[in-house]
Amino acid sequence: MMYPITFVSLGPGEAELITLKGLKALQTADCIYYPATISKEGTVSSRALDIMSELDIDTRKGIPFHVPMSKDRTKAIAAYANVTRDAELQYKDSKKVAIVAEGDAGFYSSIHYIFETLEQDNIPVNRVAGVPAFIAAGALAGIHVVKLEEELNVVPGIISSDELTEKINLGKVIVIMKVSLCADAIKECIGNNKNAVFHYFENVGVKDLEYYTTDIQEILKRKIPYFSLMIIQGNPL
């Protein structure tokens, strides 16, 4: 018997935010591919592995793949290609294969390269939904991300200050993923939009590392890390 390759969403970082369906998929998997990074000093880290360890998943089933944190995606895409080839072999060997992603595997997740390539190769795949980071951020801040007939725009970290201001003036609620990519534009936008509320987050769902503020001066002087996001809302009623 051959089993579809399952893409499991882990949630933003807090182990308990995985769904029961996702947890069961990991518990029954024969092998689990998970992303890891290697620092310049050679240290290996993986939030995905940390989450699985907290969930008491047998880490001996884990197979890491190293994804460089760089704007140049050449090496990352090569890593995804290697995972795809290896996962196909495991699938053909009748193994239950899981591939994990932080947040939701279908929401700004770069493992779509693997998912789409497997589909092109006629390998059956399915995906377990998860909690995206901005939903967890809203809960952390105690805010309703959108209310009534408000419109939500989710944008990547490649946007100008003028584009942000235009969206704010149109009354949209804006979620910015990967804030570090447009930190200067955001800081300029803050100066031009005194009535908007800028909710800034770091490491949502990660114990002892979560950070949240609406303090403009704190945001302006802060060095923006990779794991950051922002929710911008218009003048509160």
Side-chain angles (χ1 to χ4, degrees):
M1 185 173 181
M2 302 173 83
Y3 306 92
I5 294 177
T6 301
F7 288 74
V8 179
S9 304
L10 295 176
E14 184 180 344
E16 291 181 350
L17 289 180
I18 192 173
T19 65
L20 285 174
K21 187 174 182 178
L23 178 59
K24 289 176 181 177
L26 295 181
Q27 290 170 333
T28 58
D30 295 311
C31 57
I32 304 169
Y33 293 88
Y34 66 89
T37 57
I38 304 176
S39 69
K40 294 179 181 179
E41 295 75 27
T43 303
V44 178
S45 62
S46 172
R47 287 191 177 184
L49 182 60
D50 292 342
I51 293 169
M52 290 192 293
S53 297
E54 283 192 56
L55 295 170
D56 293 325
I57 301 301
D58 185 353
T59 55
R60 292 173 297 180
K61 299 192 294 187
I63 303 172
F65 58 94
H66 301 294
V67 182
M69 292 295 183
S70 171
K71 291 182 182 179
D72 181 359
R73 304 303 294 163
T74 305
K75 291 183 179 179
I77 292 172
Y80 297 135
N82 289 334
V83 172
T84 303
R85 287 192 294 269
D86 198 56
E88 287 189 7
L89 292 175
Q90 300 274 18
Y91 161 78
K92 291 174 182 177
D93 197 29
S94 297
K95 298 290 180 62
K96 291 183 179 180
V97 180
I99 302 173
V100 301
E102 295 160 39
D104 181 273
F107 181 81
Y108 281 123
S109 177
S110 54
I111 65 168
H112 74 84
Y113 291 107
I114 304 173
F115 189 95
E116 291 170 359
T117 304
L118 289 170
E119 283 191 314
Q120 291 167 7
D121 292 344
N122 295 315
I123 303 295
V125 292
N126 57 43
R127 186 169 67 226
V128 179
V131 178
F134 77 91
I135 294 298
L140 171 64
I143 61 174
H144 287 80
V145 179
V146 287
K147 303 184 294 293
L148 300 175
E149 296 179 358
E150 290 177 331
E151 181 178 325
L152 177 68
N153 272 199
V154 182
V155 298
I158 305 171
I159 192 167
S160 69
S161 175
D162 288 343
E163 289 170 325
L164 283 174
T165 296
E166 181 181 359
K167 292 178 182 295
I168 292 170
N169 290 338
L170 289 171
K172 300 179 186 296
V173 177
I174 307 156
V175 171
I176 305 175
M177 310 297 293
K178 298 181 181 177
V179 173
S180 60
L181 298 178
C182 59
D184 291 340
I186 289 172
K187 291 177 180 181
E188 180 182 341
C189 179
I190 288 173
N192 296 331
N193 294 276
K194 303 296 185 183
N195 292 327
V197 180
F198 294 81
H199 301 271
Y200 172 71
F201 304 86
E202 294 175 6
N203 297 300
V204 173
V206 182
K207 186 179 180 181
D208 299 327
L209 292 178
E210 282 185 326
Y211 178 80
Y212 163 63
T213 187
T214 56
D215 187 312
I216 295 304
Q217 296 307 314
E218 285 295 320
I219 297 171
L220 290 175
K221 69 182 183 182
R222 197 165 185 86
K223 183 177 180 181
I224 309 297
Y226 181 83
F227 290 107
S228 57
L229 68 88
M230 179 170 279
I231 299 173
I232 305 174
Q233 296 177 314
N235 193 33
L237 298 176

